Amino acid sequence: KTLETIVERFKDGTIGSIIARTMIQRDTSDVGIPSNKWSIGNQITMLIRGTDDARGVDQWRHVGRFPRRGSKAFYILVPLVYKAKETDTDDKQATVLRFKACPVFSVEHTEGADLQTVDYTPSNPPPLMDVAKKMGLRIQYAAKPNLPWFGAYLPTSETIELFTHDPKTFWHELGHAAHRRVLKAQGKDLVNGQDPKQEAIAELVATTLATLYGQDWTGNAWRYMQSHAKGNPLSLIYSVLNDVGKVLQFIVNMATDDTQASEAA
């Protein structure tokens, strides 16, 4: 069943995003979560099941949690490594590697003691993080494999939520936040929801910033525009170029002010 699900992910093209989600897991420090040390294959299996923490019964018992009555396990592959002995001597020969299927339960299907909070903040923050803080934004990193997106800007709390360490996602949400500030200066505000023009502005801002920092995201940006455009993506792009310039200028001015202050000091 798991293999069939993985094959379907390859068919619909979403396996890449699922694999990308494993990266934020593997960059974290060890806080006692066994899945942080699992193979990529087992992590993909876990994420496809819609969870970012799965363990065996004994592992859950060790932290004071237990699978709920009626919950069902899924299986991962655990390697078995041992030394094979010669028949005529007592010397151990080459390592033999085998696998066994191990049942695990997702954290969502357990109950008991509270778990230790995981800090997913990257050790090397993406460029322009200082600009975000200067704008008064709160940046929160988390691992949420059941969501179909990698980040979000929450205007009501001035928070950027990130579910990946990919800087492009951060720049996209920073674009939304900067766009709001440009609009506020004009007595306006962002439209609620996935507005095509607002998404186009944020994506073009992020793509431009990625290019400035030596990353090529033009292909992904074009596909993103196609998903939001009602008709010709070029029409959507041309309609927002002026606003994109204003948002980029706002970000550059914020970054330049920081640089000038640092040089003056």
Side-chain angles (χ1 to χ4, degrees):
K1 183 177 180 180
T2 299
L3 180 59
E4 290 174 353
T5 304
I6 292 176
V7 171
E8 287 301 316
R9 294 296 183 272
F10 273 112
K11 288 180 180 179
D12 62 25
T14 59
I15 193 67
S17 62
I18 293 174
I19 292 175
R21 292 176 190 269
T22 69
M23 295 301 102
I24 193 171
Q25 305 264 90
R26 298 171 73 87
D27 285 345
T28 61
S29 58
D30 183 9
V31 292
I33 298 181
S35 59
N36 282 355
K37 299 180 180 179
W38 287 0
S39 68
I40 288 289
N42 282 335
Q43 286 202 26
I44 291 174
T45 299
M46 176 182 67
L47 293 171
I48 285 177
R49 294 286 181 164
T51 185
D52 60 359
D53 189 358
R55 315 183 193 191
V57 173
D58 289 340
Q59 291 174 325
W60 282 125
R61 185 181 296 114
H62 181 71
V63 294
R65 295 185 69 86
F66 307 88
R68 293 194 186 98
R69 183 182 298 275
S71 59
K72 295 183 179 180
F74 63 93
Y75 290 81
I76 61 172
L77 292 179
V78 178
L80 299 176
V81 182
Y82 61 96
K83 298 286 186 176
K85 291 185 178 180
E86 285 279 1
T87 56
D88 55 346
T89 68
D90 197 34
D91 295 333
K92 292 184 178 181
Q93 266 193 338
T95 299
V96 178
L97 180 63
R98 295 182 181 178
F99 292 88
K100 71 173 183 179
C102 177
V104 293
F105 293 85
S106 64
V107 63
E108 291 81 5
H109 293 161
T110 66
E111 57 189 6
D114 293 335
L115 294 173
Q116 181 180 350
T117 303
V118 182
D119 183 7
Y120 289 102
T121 304
S123 55
N124 294 317
L128 300 178
M129 181 64 74
D130 53 340
V131 170
K133 293 180 178 179
K134 186 177 179 181
M135 291 166 60
L137 295 168
R138 183 172 58 172
I139 312 298
Q140 294 181 339
Y141 281 88
K144 296 185 179 181
N146 56 328
L147 294 179
W149 59 85
F150 289 143
Y153 167 56
L154 310 177
T156 54
S157 60
E158 287 299 334
T159 300
I160 290 180
E161 291 185 340
L162 297 167
F163 315 128
T164 175
H165 287 166
D166 176 13
K168 173 68 167 11
T169 303
F170 165 66
W171 292 327
H172 180 99
E173 305 307 334
L174 181 66
H176 278 308
H179 184 201
R180 188 186 190 212
R181 282 151 177 77
V182 171
L183 289 174
K184 283 284 192 178
Q186 303 170 2
K188 304 176 184 178
D189 204 344
L190 293 176
V191 178
N192 292 329
Q194 292 277 307
D195 179 74
K197 286 192 174 182
Q198 290 177 177
E199 293 303 321
I201 290 170
E203 188 65 11
L204 287 173
V205 166
T207 302
T208 303
L209 293 175
T211 303
L212 291 173
Y213 285 101
Q215 301 181 27
D216 182 12
W217 285 90
T218 52
N220 287 340
W222 177 252
R223 287 189 291 273
Y224 191 87
M225 294 299 175
Q226 287 177 316
S227 68
H228 285 278
K230 296 179 181 179
N232 185 358
L234 283 176
S235 298
L236 176 60
I237 292 173
Y238 282 124
S239 70
V240 299
L241 282 180
N242 187 48
D243 292 321
V244 170
K246 292 178 181 179
V247 174
L248 282 169
Q249 191 61 58
F250 178 88
I251 294 174
V252 169
N253 287 343
M254 296 284 286
T256 302
D257 289 343
D258 286 343
T259 302
Q260 291 175 345
S262 177
E263 290 175 351

